[in-house]
Amino acid sequence: MCGIVGIVGRAFVADHLIEALRRLEYRGYDSAGIATLERGRLVRRRAEGKLANLAMSLRDEPLGGSIGIGHTRWATHGRPNETNAHPHATARLAVVHNGIIENFRELKAELQGFGIRFESETDTEVVAQLVSREMDQGLGPEEAVAACLPRLHGAFALGFIFSGYDDLLVGARHGAPLAIGFGEVEAGIGEIYLGSDALALAPFTEEITYLEEGDWAVLSRAGAVIHDIDGGLVERPRQRIVAQAYQVEKGNHRHFMAKEIHEQPEVVGRTLAHYVDLARSRIALPDALPFEFARLSRLSIAACGTAYYAGLVAKYWFETLARLPVEIDVASEARYREPPLDRDGLTLVISQSGETADTLASLRYAKAQGQHTLAVVNVPTSTIAREASAIVPTLAGPEIGVASTKAFSCQLTVLLCLAIVAGRARGTLSAERERELVDALITVPGLMAEATKREGEIEVLAREVSKARDVLYLGRGTSYPMALEGALKLKEISYIHAEGYAAGELKHGPIALIDESVPVIVIAPHDAIFEKTVSNMQEVAARGGRIILIGDAKGAAAAGLETLATVTMPDCDAVVAPIVYAVPIQLIAYHTAVFMGKDVDQPRNLAKSVTVE
Ligand code: M6R
């Protein structure tokens, strides 16, 4: 889950390495470091904590060199201090690494047997020492890397530079993404880049090549030579990246999360425009799917975190609109539970990043079982997007805040479109109902914009929430996964303990928690089961619980309950309510965390892209 970058340039590269790392910080921010070659001599600078600390140290004492590698870390092996920060180095080389070397203990013991000493607690230093030892035995840098790669177990991406070789960068991909970027060529001398993703490389290049599983590449100012897992020379396609699509600025907002919440009406609108045929009031997927919904026996969904909750909402939609049985699992369980998947079934994976290790593994498992696979994914160049049999993209644009917001609402939008298509194909949804749903869907961007107007009152309410030690979120039907999502959002950025519950489950245990100190946030649009939720609110009120109701005016009036606060939502069709109600849920978490002075965009211990299992 770390970010890696490498540059073979024509001028000093330290500033560009920092710029690329800034774009990779979403992958981890426990420490950062760079190494360059100054007149052939390896030099490195590392700093604990955010990239800003490294940047400051480089401002005071810059590093020269026109070749270098950089790293931003999410700690797996060893505490997040300077000693464990990458690049790891020997006298011969420096290496940056994303992923985990699972057999590092055995390798370390073997190397220690040769008298080699280690300074860090990381698995990565083993790679540095292993390759160095091969070089000590007489191999050249490229041969030494090639000799060591088969000895490394686990999922990883690596970038190496070598003392004395100022035109050589070696990269290797095994289970973690890695791209090569091609820069400008002047007088026959080019610039070349290596990076964990296109986002990192977008400021410097418009053309990239993704390495495939098992590939390793030798980069120099003359270009890239790519080898596959068997060592043979291979060509990998070049793709153009549109730099605009990789803009990562906060604009007028204080945090990326705020910007991304406010972007939702626009990006949900863009996503809808991709899937809705307005002239015919129906959903029209731009690309044909390689399976027929009508023939499916079952839908299995696997995803993690917020994407999993989007899948849980979708379960209700697929089951009610398309009468398609749905099984859903968090991907980290699905992959090891090895569920029986029949050939008539479809596995749907959902992921913003398209790189989440467990979700990717679930996708691969389903493929190995001979299932159709479909991915709802936000990064179109990601591994999941490339490996799924078909993709339905969310068009949310880059999401930088660690807390997922606009990706979630776009996932919901795409999933509802898919459920409608499935309903039509399976004959469970009439043309008239489809028209009604499409009419409801196209009002969503406007309703979300309306919902953001509640921000002032939510900001006041967030001060109350910030005083709590525990918060309960309740909902029924599709509002139940929304309750889970609300609780996740609050936990991850404010560090307040929060739980989401199906409102009907309250009396089976969690009601014991209710007292005046526990705010109970009830998500309840005025839908068919609203009355049932009102009964649960009564149970809370009877025990002195303080209710915060997120509902529409009709529901608030019908409930007739005294609440700590009511966030009055615009009226909307109950089916699309989860997409609209995402806004207040996100704003409550955001303003609570801001009021508490937390680091909203980069909460402790987390990373945006979870590429380790
Ligand atoms: O990139 P993915 O959608 O696969 O990520 C899945 C989760 O890691 C992610 O949704 C995480 O739970 C978010 N930080 C939640 O806000």
Side-chain angles (χ1 to χ4, degrees):
M1 285 195 353
C2 308
I4 69 175
V5 63
I7 305 178
V8 189
R10 285 191 298 258
F12 284 177
V13 291
D15 287 350
H16 279 179
L17 288 171
I18 294 295
E19 168 59 15
L21 290 179
R22 188 173 72 80
R23 292 166 155 260
L24 287 173
E25 232 189 341
Y26 74 91
R27 300 174 77 91
Y29 35 80
D30 290 337
S31 66
I34 66 170
T36 61
L37 286 183
E38 283 181 344
R39 283 182 224 93
R41 194 175 58 91
L42 267 174
V43 284
R44 68 177 164 159
R45 184 73 49 77
R46 301 177 294 169
E48 186 176 328
K50 301 258 170 84
L51 181 64
N53 299 346
L54 176 68
M56 207 180 325
S57 139
L58 286 163
R59 247 190 317 272
D60 296 345
E61 269 182 82
L63 286 188
S66 59
I67 176 170
I69 50 177
H71 188 269
T72 178
R73 177 168 190 243
W74 184 80
T76 58
H77 294 65
R79 278 158 295 159
N81 55 26
E82 190 179 327
T83 313
N84 289 329
H86 300 215
H88 288 281
T90 66
R92 292 190 175 276
L93 59 88
V95 61
V96 284
H97 164 217
N98 166 35
I100 293 178
I101 308 297
E102 287 170 356
N103 59 335
F104 84 101
R105 280 188 195 81
E106 296 92 290
L107 294 172
K108 191 169 179 172
E110 177 187 319
L111 290 161
Q112 283 169 329
F114 297 123
I116 293 170
R117 289 186 183 204
F118 287 80
E119 63 173 30
S120 78
E121 302 159 285
T122 66
D123 49 342
T124 309
E125 198 183 350
V126 165
V127 181
Q129 295 292 358
L130 199 65
V131 176
S132 279
R133 185 167 157 77
E134 290 295 344
M135 291 176 73
D136 291 345
Q137 308 291 308
L139 292 187
E142 301 157 40
E143 292 76 24
V145 172
C148 291
L149 288 176
R151 301 205 58 202
L152 306 177
H153 300 168
F156 52 82
L158 297 162
F160 298 86
I161 55 174
F162 302 87
S163 190
Y165 293 80
D166 77 350
D167 192 20
L168 177 65
L169 171 64
V170 178
R173 175 196 167 139
H174 186 99
L178 198 58
I180 297 171
F182 301 91
E184 285 174 9
V185 181
E186 267 174 33
I189 304 175
E191 287 186 323
I192 195 156
Y193 304 85
L194 188 72
S196 294
D197 65 21
L199 188 66
L201 306 182
F204 319 116
T205 170
E206 288 183 353
E207 245 189 353
I208 56 168
T209 289
Y210 282 95
L211 293 184
E212 293 186 8
E213 277 309 303
D215 284 356
W216 59 281
V218 179
L219 277 56
S220 69
R221 292 179 184 88
V225 177
I226 304 175
H227 303 258
D228 66 9
I229 197 163
D230 303 316
L233 289 180
V234 283
E235 294 279 334
R236 301 292 182 211
R238 288 197 187 192
Q239 304 177 12
R240 287 196 76 73
I241 52 171
V242 187
Q244 240 178 339
Y246 293 94
Q247 294 290 336
V248 286
E249 304 305 330
K250 280 185 216 154
N252 293 327
H253 294 277
R254 203 168 145 197
H255 300 102
F256 280 110
M257 183 178 177
K259 173 179 172 249
E260 288 158 6
I261 291 173
H262 284 272
E263 268 174 8
Q264 290 180 109
E266 185 193 331
V267 295
V268 166
R270 189 198 304 160
T271 303
L272 279 172
H274 198 67
Y275 294 106
V276 173
D277 177 347
L278 277 177
R280 295 164 68 207
S281 272
R282 75 199 305 259
I283 305 296
L285 300 182
D287 301 309
L289 297 173
F291 59 86
E292 289 178 42
F293 271 116
R295 290 174 182 271
L296 294 183
S297 57
R298 174 169 295 275
L299 174 63
S300 305
I301 303 178
C304 299
T306 289
Y308 167 72
Y309 295 139
L312 215 47
V313 174
K315 174 181 165 76
Y316 288 79
W317 287 333
F318 278 104
E319 290 186 346
T320 54
L321 301 176
R323 307 304 299 156
L324 179 59
V326 179
E327 184 176 52
I328 172 159
D329 248 323
V330 284
S332 53
E333 288 301 314
R335 63 179 294 190
Y336 291 115
R337 196 163 52 83
E338 299 188 352
L341 299 173
D342 50 70
R343 282 177 176 270
D344 302 332
L346 169 71
T347 286
L348 172 70
V349 293
I350 308 165
S351 176
Q352 186 286 127
S353 61
E355 301 295 351
T356 301
D358 288 318
T359 310
L360 178 60
S362 299
L363 170 71
R364 288 179 177 160
Y365 173 75
K367 281 178 83 173
Q369 300 294 300
Q371 277 229 317
H372 302 296
T373 56
L374 181 64
V376 171
V377 68
N378 195 42
V379 179
T381 47
S382 60
T383 312
I384 288 178
R386 279 178 288 129
E387 293 197 13
S389 330
I391 67 164
V392 269
T394 49
L395 304 174
E399 189 181 67
I400 306 299
V402 162
S404 187
T405 52
K406 62 176 183 167
F408 176 63
S409 49
C410 287
Q411 284 161 353
L412 291 177
T413 305
V414 170
L415 289 164
L416 181 49
C417 290
L418 274 177
I420 293 172
V421 169
R424 187 203 307 147
R426 295 169 70 82
T428 52
L429 196 68
S430 66
E432 195 192 334
R433 183 63 184 137
E434 176 167 358
R435 238 187 328 272
E436 282 169 13
L437 288 171
V438 169
D439 288 348
L441 259 173
I442 59 184
T443 63
V444 164
L447 294 170
M448 293 182 97
E450 190 59 34
T452 57
K453 294 190 185 143
R454 306 285 170 271
E455 186 157 13
E457 62 201 73
I458 290 176
E459 203 174 336
V460 175
L461 161 66
R463 295 175 184 212
E464 283 303 312
V465 177
S466 70
K467 293 178 198 154
R469 212 186 60 176
D470 306 289
V471 177
L472 270 184
Y473 284 75
L474 301 179
R476 279 178 182 263
T478 51
S479 297
Y480 162 47
M482 295 304 287
L484 296 170
E485 167 62 5
L488 172 63
K489 219 81 306 171
L490 187 69
K491 289 190 261 229
E492 73 175 330
I493 59 171
S494 74
Y495 318 145
I496 294 175
H497 171 246
E499 292 298 335
Y501 267 96
E505 271 292 293
L506 186 70
K507 54 191 162 302
H508 298 288
I511 200 162
L513 295 172
I514 305 287
D515 65 22
E516 318 71 56
S517 70
V518 180
V520 181
I521 300 181
V522 183
I523 302 158
H526 194 259
D527 57 15
I529 41 176
F530 179 73
E531 288 304 324
K532 306 286 175 200
T533 313
V534 172
S535 305
N536 304 129
M537 287 195 272
Q538 298 280 13
E539 291 156 12
V540 172
R543 284 152 185 89
R546 297 181 310 154
I547 296 169
I548 297 168
L549 174 63
I550 306 179
D552 47 39
K554 209 153 126 202
L561 275 169
E562 199 178 311
T563 59
L564 174 63
T566 298
V567 180
T568 310
M569 297 294 290
D571 288 341
C572 61
D573 188 305
V575 176
V576 300
I579 318 177
V580 182
Y581 281 52
V583 173
I585 286 167
Q586 296 160 355
L587 285 172
I588 289 173
Y590 172 74
H591 283 292
T592 304
V594 169
F595 185 68
M596 294 172 79
K598 303 297 183 207
D599 190 342
V600 172
D601 284 333
Q602 296 184 328
R604 70 182 180 204
N605 303 340
L606 291 174
K608 179 81 183 152
S609 182
V610 186
T611 56
V612 292
E613 62 173 290

